[in-house]
Amino acid sequence: MGLQPLEFSDCYLDSPWFRERIRAHEAELERTNKFIKELIKDGKNLIAATKSLSAAQRKFAHSLRDFKFEFIGDAETDDERCIDASLREFSNFLKNLEEQREIMALSVTETLIKPLEKFRKEQLGAVKEEKKKFDKETEKNYSLIDKHLNLSAKKKDSHLQEADLQVEQNRQHFYELSLEYVCKLQEIQERKKFEFVEPMLSFFQGMFTFYHQGHELSKDFNHYKMELQINIQNTRNRFEGTRSEVEELMNKIRQNPKDHKRVSQFTAEGYLYVQEKRPAPFGSSWVKHYCMFRKAAQKFNMIPFEHRSGGKLGDGEVFFLKECTKRHTDSIDRRFCFDIEAADRPGVSLTVQAFSEEERKQWLEALGGKEALFHSFNRAIIPRPEGSAQLDQTGFTILRKCISAVETRGINDQGLYRVVGVSSKVQRLLSVLMDVKTCNELDLENSVDWEVKTITSALKQYLRSLPEPLMTYELHGEFIVPVKSGSPESRVNAIHFLVHKLPEKNKEMLDILVKHLTNVSNHSKQNLMTVANLGVVFGPTLMRPQEETVAAIMDLKFQNIVVEILIENHEKIFRTLPDTTFPEPTCLSTSPPNAPPRQSKRQGQRTKRPVAVYNLCLELEDGDSPNPPKEDTPTSSQDSLSSPSPTSAAWGPPGPDRNHLPADGGSWASTTLSQTRPSMVQWLNLQSPSTPSSNPAVTPPSPRSPPFPFSPAASIVDELPESLINRKARAVYPCEAEHSSELSFEIGAIFEDVQTSREPGWLEGTLNGKRGLIPQNYVKLL
């Protein structure tokens, strides 16, 4: 049972039971007061803990933002650039989350702590003051009654009447105070139900608003997360391929290090101990130097270097060699020594010591001393052993027979070209194919003697056995350079241009092979061989470097991307001639600008759109995926992330490296090309044939610039009035929608009923009966 009500009529009786009921009310209010006081303390601790957590999260986000991955080589793939940018995306995500947490902490103070403090001070404090008055008046009233009753009856009547009147007035005042106190007690008991619970409701509303904002941020982040997972998977796949190549090179060097010396600008280089003579009686000391000799200039460089002292470089010396003489052990108490005399230092001779007798002989030979062995200290590029494979009619027959058999018997085999055949069977089949007579008689399409994996392995082995890779050593570097920078369109244009520089036989065989690989990738749902997977398999086969070095192996990932571009754009590259027309120097590339960022449903919060990823295939197979076959290289879960074809480009949202040109206009050519062809630099600035060229003033905004109206995009998008009604617009760039509320369109699309949108940098319009959002800097108002 709850508290008993306090009847006003009981104030006049003031019975013991009435007083018990008052004390019960007072005890309940005191308990409520202590509870609220403790709750306020806990609430303040909660705010302090929230602020501490927020500070720790912000520090963590700051650490993420400041870290930057270093890469090996001179460029990164698009996947690697997206991974590099991911730490900043994670940092921004945490920053947005902590902004919401700060809002929640502030709301706890405003909606919980302050209202409870006010209720405790103004309401419960007022009752305490009333209680003090009531207790004081109770004491006064009953003390006066006791005193009044002790008056002698012998007092004068006037005196007694005056005393009676005073007591009556005091009792009346006490009754009024008692009535007010009882009313206040019951009022506060009822008031606390909403005065206390309402702030709690506001507190939980603020807390759940924070969690809802976190959920919204999570949904915004989900799209980016899916794309980043694909970037990570592709990078992991390329890493596995690169690692196997690096380990193979390491084992080759371990077995025969002399045959894998790097090509150097120096005739000889390595460590020598140089004798430094000191005044008697200190004798001499031997100091290790790294020495380099260039025979053409007879120039000798020495740099002191001691590994044990932390690898500190000393001051080097340079002189011109005059002659070199071998020292015998009868003239010096050390082995492997020889003397060097400087031409520009008359009378000065240095005694140096090699690490071994063999190295001394090599130095003597390089320096023109005695006992030369007549072999180079630094070996030239080691040619690969040439087999019987040739780029001739037999080779084309091998290629066509293998491709025909694969497409007839195994186009849907899982792990096609990645599952390797038995080595002995592969060699036997290759021997049969290499023989003109047996090759013509062999029917691979209907033969049960040869497995599909044996045929695919033989085809790859034939291509690897060619004296020169199909895409040639000469153009190897030129194929690599464009995929390291530039927009997707410029990459395709550059590869298109270079393919037509290949010798005719190479180009013809490459055409046949790439057409087949395109067919294989079209069956990727069955064989799991996406464009990216085929790039991993055939990149090293078609574009092996002339010299095996770690630096060359680090470019494997770019070789893979070149092959991906060939497969994705086979029809354009092999069925059309490269465009040899160039825009005026003032014209820029027609790569689309960044689409402006979209606002999320929350007012004032912007969705962080992901960095660029091209040709994403996010459709998943129904049911469980089959177990992948045993492979010689890992299989990617998604299609190629290389540059898209012009007809299927999925232009990604704004990101750190999306479709931008180098600041210097795209100068990535490293080799001067034929005078009859346009330069490689110009390929990065080619104007798209589909872009109107009648208006040379149409210049796209910088891909790194903020969205309109803050970017210099007025040359494409007319300066907009404050509101638009029933205007038309024409698309000047293609765009593929990333959300259901956006429109996809090609260049030249006409939009009806174009209006301004509440989303900054976006318009609303109708295309083919569908209404949606349009990036403002992708269109021109008509």
Side-chain angles (χ1 to χ4, degrees), residues 370-552:
K370 296 181 180 180
E371 299 188 15
L373 296 180
F374 302 102
H375 63 79
S376 175
F377 192 89
N378 281 300
R379 297 179 180 270
I381 297 172
I382 305 299
R384 296 174 178 264
E386 297 188 11
S388 57
Q390 296 295 328
L391 198 61
D392 54 11
Q393 191 58 44
T394 302
F396 278 92
T397 303
I398 293 172
L399 187 72
R400 290 191 175 99
K401 277 184 174 290
C402 291
I403 288 175
S404 179
V406 170
E407 295 192 346
T408 302
R409 297 171 51 192
I411 194 69
N412 292 322
D413 288 3
Q414 290 187 9
L416 188 66
Y417 285 107
R418 304 198 68 170
V419 179
V420 296
V422 178
S423 179
S424 58
K425 292 183 179 180
V426 173
Q427 291 299 329
R428 190 161 68 251
L429 174 58
L430 200 55
S431 299
V432 173
L433 290 169
M434 289 291 189
D435 188 300
V436 177
K437 182 178 179 181
T438 56
C439 179
N440 292 330
E441 296 174 354
L442 184 63
D443 183 7
L444 290 177
E445 292 185 25
N446 302 305
S447 175
V448 295
D449 297 332
W450 306 105
E451 296 177 282
V452 172
K453 64 181 181 181
T454 304
I455 298 173
T456 57
S457 297
L459 173 58
K460 290 188 293 183
Q461 185 60 41
Y462 162 73
L463 293 172
R464 293 193 195 105
S465 301
L466 290 172
E468 187 178 33
L470 205 55
M471 298 176 73
T472 72
Y473 291 136
E474 181 184 356
L475 296 178
H476 178 87
E478 295 184 43
F479 274 112
I480 293 292
V481 170
V483 298
K484 291 184 176 181
S485 62
S487 67
E489 184 181 2
S490 69
R491 297 176 186 180
V492 175
N493 289 337
I495 301 303
H496 187 187
F497 172 74
L498 290 170
V499 164
H500 286 263
K501 287 191 65 182
L502 289 170
E504 279 303 317
K505 284 187 177 181
N506 296 63
K507 187 175 72 171
E508 181 183 353
M509 182 170 285
L510 186 63
D511 180 10
I512 297 170
L513 178 63
V514 172
K515 181 181 179 181
H516 165 63
L517 296 181
T518 303
N519 190 24
V520 172
S521 68
N522 291 338
H523 293 78
S524 60
K525 286 190 176 181
Q526 291 78 34
N527 59 35
L528 306 182
M529 293 305 294
T530 61
V531 174
N533 292 336
L534 291 170
V536 171
V537 172
F538 282 92
T541 300
L542 299 178
M543 294 187 63
R544 67 176 184 265
Q546 190 169 9
E547 183 184 8
E548 286 186 299
T549 63
V550 173

Side-chain angles (χ1 to χ4, degrees), residues 282-296:
F282 299 105
S284 62
S285 64
W286 295 79
V287 179
K288 185 169 59 177
H289 287 66
Y290 192 81
C291 302
M292 298 156 286
F293 176 66
R294 192 178 284 109
K295 191 168 186 177

